[in-house]
């Protein structure tokens, strides 16, 4: 079945746009899609009615050709490598917290939490300026700059192991890595939109998001290089292990910086889809559009509450496992399996969404419900309501984190459809900024005297459960999919 919609302008006669609807869609769904494709006349620009907006948003849809390039896989590989190493540097200290506490004066839970917290704080401070710079200067400039900042930061930690200079350099490195994290965390959606066709978009986003999570795996393997103090291992030996780890991190950061500098174009010569060739709103109008979009704001709240606490928990996972009898070496293996599962689950969820497009609601709610069940299971184990079993700890943690991370590319896809044609970088930046706000609040709670660690299990369960409520008020639409699969 097909519809013909009149697209008019003052300077040109009406143009008929032929929109093909899948035959299996119900009449109510087709009616909603027709609303999505409404146009109005104002001056010489066609207007697109974005979901949730009070006013139409002007866009220019040129009849440009589309094409995909093999280079997109190089861009994906290069940026994913940058994501992996950034995650390792962000989570350097949590997995070796016991060793750091034993041999470096002044290091404790608050210091370890603050090292991770710097990234989230700096992210919030520099988010909008860097998004503006990216829109003005292009993606290549900011990606190269991010790689350079990460290299400089990791190199500064290698200057000395003598406190307090060592601790100061570690804080400075965390700040520089935090600045570089802005592009690393928000650019995947932009890269996917600019380089990948419609049937690969969510998968590409998920690969880069999964790469960031896979980097946590490298940090959880750090106890293999950094030993605990013992009768055979002196504090000086442990300090030497830590410095060897930091030398390795700086060397890898230098290699990645050279690779990015050698070849990383902002976008391909010809766009891969119709929506990627569409003119986006400027920074300020785009930001205003997002703030006025009630459906997007509800989705933003749900995303932040759902994703923020588990992100914070990963950086301090060791502390939650102490009451259950898990020490640094034991927690390492839980962390390793968690990271492997949660780095692959977004890719699986993204690929499923690309293959069965139009069913993101069912997929998203299923993953969120499974996350709630797993965190409730871990809560019962933590408070010894259920008899302790090591395999149950593994399954509840791994299942909860993996399903939670699998929702991230789906949330981003929903956000793009709700806010189109707002720039991808601004939208994803606002979403990642929201989960960073929640992450900061969770990590700052560790500064409360005698707060303990078991409160974190309640936080995980409440965040996973309550975040589903705002989604019940949102209408899910495949806005970009409709435009990209329509034929003039």
């Amino acid at each position: 079945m097909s519809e013909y919609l009149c697209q008019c302008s003052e300077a040109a006669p009406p143009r008929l746009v032929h929109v093909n609807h899948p035959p299996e869609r119900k009449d109510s769904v087709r009616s909603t899609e027709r609303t999505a494709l409404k146009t109005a006349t104002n001056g010489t620009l066609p207007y697109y009615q974005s979901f949730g907006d009070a006013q139409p948003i002007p866009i220019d849809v040129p009849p440009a050709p589309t094409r995909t390039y093999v280079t997109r896989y190089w861009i994906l590989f290069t940026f994913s490598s940058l994501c992996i190493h950034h995650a390792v540097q962000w989570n350097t200290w949590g997995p070796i917290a016991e060793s750091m506490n034993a041999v470096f004066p002044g290091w404790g839970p608050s210091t370890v939490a603050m090292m991770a917290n710097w990234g989230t704080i700096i992210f919030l401070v520099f988010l909008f300026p860097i998004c503006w710079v990216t829109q003005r200067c292009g993606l290549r400039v900011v990606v190269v700059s991010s790689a350079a900042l990460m290299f400089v930061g990791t190199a500064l930690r290698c200057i000395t192991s003598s406190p307090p200079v060592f601790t100061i350099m570690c804080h400075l490195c965390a700040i520089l890595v935090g600045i570089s994290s802005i592009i690393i965390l928000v650019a995947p959606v932009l890269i996917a939109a600019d380089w990948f066709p419609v049937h690969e978009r969510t998968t590409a986003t998920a690969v880069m998001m999964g790469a960031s999570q896979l980097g946590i795996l490298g940090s959880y393997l750090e106890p293999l290089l950094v030993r605990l103090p013992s009768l055979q291992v002196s504090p000086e030996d442990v300090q030497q292990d830590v410095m060897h780890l930091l030398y390795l991190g700086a060397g890898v950061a230098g290699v990645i910086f050279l690779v990015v500098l050698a070849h990383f174009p902002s976008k391909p010569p010809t766009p891969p889809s119709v929506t990627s060739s569409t003119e986006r709103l400027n920074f300020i109008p785009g930001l205003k559009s997002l703030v006025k979009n009630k459906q997007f704001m509800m989705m933003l709240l749900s995303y932040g509450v759902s994703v923020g606490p588990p992100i914070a928990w990963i950086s301090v996972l060791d502390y939650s496992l102490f009451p259950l009898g898990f020490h640094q070496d034991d927690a390492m293996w839980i962390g390793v399996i968690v990271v492997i599962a949660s780095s692959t689950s977004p890719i699986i969820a993204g690929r499923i969404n690309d293959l069965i497009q139009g069913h993101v609601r069912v997929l998203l709610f299923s993953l969120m419900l499974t996350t709630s069940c797993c965190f409730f299971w871990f809560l019962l184990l933590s408070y010894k309501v259920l008899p302790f079993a090591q395999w149950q700890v593994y399954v509840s943690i791994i299942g909860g984190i993996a399903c939670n991370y699998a929702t991230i590319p789906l949330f981003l896809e929903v956000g793009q459809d709700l806010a189109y044609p707002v720039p991808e970088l601004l939208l994803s930046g606002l979403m990642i900024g929201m989960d960073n706000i929640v992450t900061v609040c969770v990590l700052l709670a560790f500064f409360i005297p005698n707060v303990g660690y078991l409160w974190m299990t309640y936080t995980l369960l409440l965040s996973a459960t309550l975040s589903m409520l705002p989604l019940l008020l949102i209408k899910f639409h495949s806005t970009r999919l409709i435009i990209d699969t329509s034929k003039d």
Side-chain angles (χ1 to χ4, degrees):
M1 184 177 180
S2 63
E3 297 287 329
Y4 286 88
L5 303 176
C6 182
Q7 194 170 40
C8 307
S9 71
E10 186 175 326
R15 180 168 64 91
L16 294 181
V17 179
H18 180 71
V19 182
N20 291 318
H21 296 287
E24 69 275 11
R25 292 183 182 269
K26 296 180 180 180
D27 291 339
S28 60
V29 178
R30 287 200 298 268
S31 177
T32 302
E33 292 175 353
R34 285 196 295 268
T35 304
L37 294 173
K38 283 182 180 178
T39 57
T41 302
N42 189 337
T44 59
L45 283 177
Y47 274 68
Y48 175 84
Q49 180 67 46
S50 178
F51 289 111
D53 291 326
Q55 298 295 330
I57 296 177
I59 62 172
D60 185 13
V61 186
T66 61
R67 178 184 174 185
T68 57
Y69 296 83
V70 178
T71 312
R72 70 187 187 276
Y73 296 117
W74 169 256
I75 298 297
L76 183 64
F77 170 77
T78 304
F79 194 82
S80 296
S81 301
L82 187 62
C83 292
I84 290 173
H85 195 58
H86 164 264
V88 174
Q89 303 314 308
W90 174 76
N91 196 47
T92 297
W93 307 113
I96 56 173
E98 286 186 70
S99 298
M100 298 300 296
N101 295 349
V103 302
F104 284 94
W107 282 71
S110 60
T111 304
V112 172
M114 193 61 201
M115 291 298 176
N117 215 2
W118 272 123
T120 54
I121 295 172
I122 296 300
F123 183 97
L124 297 175
V125 173
F126 288 92
L127 171 61
F128 290 129
I130 290 184
C131 287
W132 179 82
V133 170
T134 304
Q135 197 169 22
R136 292 295 299 270
C137 302
L139 186 63
R140 172 177 169 79
V141 172
V142 290
V143 171
V144 172
S145 300
S146 296
L149 286 174
M150 190 163 63
F151 171 57
V152 172
T154 53
L156 288 176
R157 296 185 304 188
C158 301
I159 294 176
T160 179
S161 61
S162 301
V165 177
F166 173 76
T167 303
I168 294 173
M169 290 296 102
C170 289
H171 281 288
L172 184 56
C173 174
I175 292 172
L176 294 177
V177 170
I179 297 174
S180 69
S181 71
I182 298 173
I183 284 299
I184 293 172
L185 294 177
V186 305
V189 173
L190 177 61
I191 294 173
D194 283 346
W195 284 92
F196 290 85
V198 59
H199 59 279
E200 296 179 358
R201 247 184 340 225
T202 311
T203 305
T205 302
V207 168
M208 288 177 277
M209 292 290 180
S212 292
Q213 182 63 3
L214 185 62
I216 306 293
L217 174 61
S219 65
Y220 275 111
L221 293 176
E222 290 171 357
L224 298 177
L225 300 177
V226 179
R227 296 165 288 179
L228 281 168
S230 63
L231 295 176
Q232 294 78 28
V233 181
S234 66
E236 291 74 18
D237 293 332
V238 177
Q239 288 188 2
Q240 190 176 33
D241 290 345
V242 171
M243 295 309 295
H244 288 163
L245 175 66
L246 300 185
Y247 296 150
L248 178 62
V252 174
V255 172
I256 294 176
F257 168 62
L258 293 177
V259 171
V260 172
L261 185 63
H263 183 70
F264 197 96
S266 294
K267 58 176 59 178
T270 304
S273 64
V274 174
T275 53
S276 63
S277 65
T278 300
E279 182 181 351
R280 297 297 192 262
L281 297 176
N282 292 328
F283 182 83
I284 298 300
L287 185 59
K288 290 180 179 178
S289 173
L290 290 178
V291 173
K292 294 178 181 179
N293 192 328
K294 295 180 180 179
Q295 298 231 10
F296 173 79
M297 296 307 292
M298 286 189 291
M299 187 279 302
L300 181 66
L301 175 64
S302 177
Y303 171 81
V305 173
S306 173
V307 175
I311 291 177
W313 190 42
I314 285 180
S315 66
V316 291
L317 180 61
D318 289 22
Y319 296 119
S320 293
L321 295 175
F322 287 159
L324 296 175
F326 288 82
H327 294 284
Q328 176 175 295
D329 293 339
D330 300 318
M332 176 190 72
W333 293 112
I334 293 183
V336 167
I337 300 175
V338 162
V339 171
I340 293 175
S342 57
S343 61
T344 56
S345 62
I347 300 175
I348 295 173
R351 193 63 196 144
I352 291 174
N353 185 64
D354 280 338
L355 292 175
I356 55 170
Q357 293 174 335
H359 297 83
V360 66
R361 175 195 289 272
V362 175
L363 187 56
L364 187 57
F365 271 99
S366 299
L367 290 170
M368 296 177 73
L369 183 60
T370 305
T371 300
S372 298
C373 293
C374 289
F375 286 155
F376 182 62
W377 188 3
F378 181 72
L379 175 67
L380 297 179
L381 291 171
S382 298
Y383 283 88
K384 298 180 173 55
V385 176
L386 294 177
F388 175 79
Q390 193 176 62
W391 70 270
Q392 293 189 48
V393 175
Y394 273 77
V395 174
S396 60
I397 294 176
I398 294 167
I401 296 293
C403 291
N404 181 267
Y405 270 72
T407 64
I408 295 178
L410 303 181
F411 269 115
L412 291 170
E413 188 71 12
V414 172
Q416 290 295 316
D417 283 329
L418 290 175
Y420 180 84
V422 172
E424 287 83 359
L425 198 70
L426 177 59
L427 182 141
S428 59
L430 196 60
M431 291 181 64
I432 303 298
M434 175 58 76
D435 73 54
N436 272 263
I437 292 174
V438 178
T439 301
V440 168
C441 294
V442 172
L443 290 176
L444 286 177
F446 282 91
F447 286 85
I448 301 175
N450 303 317
V451 69
Y453 311 116
L454 291 177
W455 62 271
M456 192 67 203
T457 57
Y458 281 114
T459 304
L460 291 170
L461 177 60
L462 288 174
S463 68
T465 304
L466 296 179
S467 60
M468 289 188 285
L469 299 180
L471 291 182
L472 298 176
L473 305 176
I474 296 175
K475 295 180 181 179
F476 288 71
H477 302 286
S478 302
T479 308
R480 294 182 302 159
L481 175 64
I482 298 169
I483 296 174
D484 285 330
T485 55
S486 300
K487 298 180 180 179
D488 288 349

